[in-house]
Amino acid sequence: MAEVVSVQPPARRLLATLSARFDGAALRVALPGQPIQAACAPTAAQTAQWAPLQAWCFLGAGDGSSPLLQPTRAPRVEQRFSVAVWPAAANSARRDVIEAFSRHLDGSHQLLAAGGAWAGLLLRLRVKACDVAWWRRRRPTDPWDCGYALNEPAARAALARFEPRRATLVVAVDWPEAALLDAITGMARSSPRFLHPVRWLVVQPDPSDITERLRSAGLRVESCDNPTSTHDMNR
């Protein structure tokens, strides 16, 4: 895949990065009908269960840096878009793991550990400063954007024009197969222009059918049980 290069002048790219906000039109912090939960410390069991998810997210994510003297050059990202499936029955503990992992990945647990409003504000400012430091290598503790993709017309339209402001985890829960396939293939087509890695996680009680349809569409599906192995239609 050809390398993506930003055509924005350095000053414009800096301002765009500073002004970028979480895309609430494309992603939601909570599913419809569910309140936004206050962050709480994860259990040891949840931490162990999300380890394969974290490995998948970082697989091919690159270090996210651009050369110091080339601020308009695209960040180093080997795999800009990736899909994985997570079997989980409704109201199961495995779905709670996804919520806990999202809060871990988006820095909510760091805010919780920071303690106090001022400490939280300083942490947010540090994150924004890291966003604009194009030469800086991404660290495992750097917050991602995490959100649920909704199967609604406005949300699907927003997903079609989505541009990640930083590394992003998209979670799609119980989508119909046709709509899910359309949304994922659309984002896959857009992904060569992404400046940051995007990971799309499909959560269903039995994702075997959608996995086969994704394979048939030529898309690779990562196995979260073993994130170094992949499945595609050519195997």
Side-chain angles (χ1 to χ4, degrees), residues 129-218:
C130 291
D131 283 345
V132 299
W134 66 85
W135 64 89
R136 178 182 177 274
R137 294 185 176 185
R138 186 188 305 108
R139 299 175 184 175
T141 55
D142 287 355
W144 288 40
D145 278 342
C146 301
Y148 294 98
L150 304 187
N151 182 30
E152 299 174 352
R156 291 197 303 269
L159 284 168
R161 58 178 183 269
F162 180 72
E163 295 285 347
R165 64 168 180 163
R166 60 171 65 118
T168 300
L169 173 66
V170 179
V171 181
V173 178
D174 294 335
W175 275 48
E177 288 186 11
L180 184 61
L181 183 64
D182 182 66
I184 291 177
T185 54
M187 187 168 286
R189 287 192 296 268
S190 300
S191 64
R193 70 170 185 262
F194 289 172
L195 296 180
H196 307 284
V198 175
R199 303 295 181 250
W200 187 301
L201 184 64
V202 176
V203 180
Q204 292 184 351
D206 181 3
S208 56
D209 288 344
I210 187 59
T211 299
E212 290 303 317
R213 294 191 66 177
L214 289 168
R215 291 179 187 172
S216 297

Side-chain angles (χ1 to χ4, degrees), residues 59 212 215-216 218-223 226-235:
L59 183 66
E212 290 303 317
R215 291 179 187 172
S216 297
L219 291 170
R220 186 166 57 184
V221 180
E222 301 285 355
S223 169
N226 181 12
T228 60
S229 69
T230 59
H231 308 279
D232 60 42
M233 63 180 294
N234 297 317
R235 288 196 173 189

Side-chain angles (χ1 to χ4, degrees), residues 18-122:
L18 281 171
S19 61
R21 296 292 183 268
F22 181 81
D23 190 346
L27 302 173
R28 306 294 173 84
V29 177
L31 289 169
Q34 295 185 2
I36 298 177
Q37 301 178 8
C40 59
T43 66
Q46 288 175 332
T47 303
Q49 288 182 69
W50 79 44
L53 289 169
Q54 181 158 294
W56 160 65
C57 283
F58 283 95
L59 183 66
D63 65 19
S65 67
S66 298
L68 178 62
L69 300 181
Q70 295 178 293
T72 61
R73 196 172 184 85
R76 296 184 181 94
V77 179
E78 286 80 35
Q79 191 171 3
R80 301 183 186 280
F81 184 67
S82 180
V83 182
V85 294
W86 182 261
N91 302 316
S92 67
R94 282 179 63 83
R95 296 209 177 186
D96 294 337
V97 170
I98 298 302
E99 174 65 23
F101 176 62
S102 296
R103 301 292 76 79
H104 163 74
L105 200 60
D106 72 6
S108 293
H109 293 160
Q110 293 184 53
L111 281 174
L112 182 66
W118 281 108
L121 177 60
L122 289 174

